[in-house]
Amino acid sequence: MRILIDIDTCTTCRLCYDTLPTVFVDRGDGIPITLPMKSFPDRNLVEAIKEVMESCPSNSIQMEEVG
Ligand code: SF4
């Protein structure tokens, strides 16, 4: 699974990394990067990521299957 951040629309509101710091990290200028993840993370983590995606005020987080 891969998480994509649209850095052009991200408003650096901090919500994603304040909410889920095991996945999202401030790269230093307010834009988040994602930490390496297992290809098939457990269901609780996927649900937590989906909640953050839906809460992102600028809809800048997408998730896609890989492999
Ligand atoms: S929640 Fe969305 S807008 Fe806020 S920092 Fe994360 S990606 Fe950017």
Side-chain angles (χ1 to χ4, degrees):
M1 205 180 79
R2 183 162 57 192
I3 300 171
L4 305 172
I5 311 284
D6 187 337
I7 63 171
D8 292 326
T9 57
C10 171
T11 61
T12 68
C13 75
R14 309 185 55 96
L15 179 144
C16 53
Y17 40 87
D18 283 351
T19 306
L20 207 52
T22 55
V23 174
F24 301 93
V25 178
D26 180 356
R27 71 177 186 182
D29 61 357
I31 300 284
I33 55 173
T34 54
L35 297 173
M37 295 178 52
K38 289 189 281 184
S39 298
F40 299 98
D42 70 57
R43 216 173 76 183
N44 287 343
L45 181 56
V46 172
E47 288 305 314
I49 294 168
K50 282 182 181 170
E51 280 184 28
V52 169
M53 282 173 54
E54 288 164 9
S55 301
C56 171
S58 56
N59 198 26
S60 300
I61 306 170
Q62 303 295 322
M63 195 162 52
E64 69 177 24
E65 304 288 333
V66 283

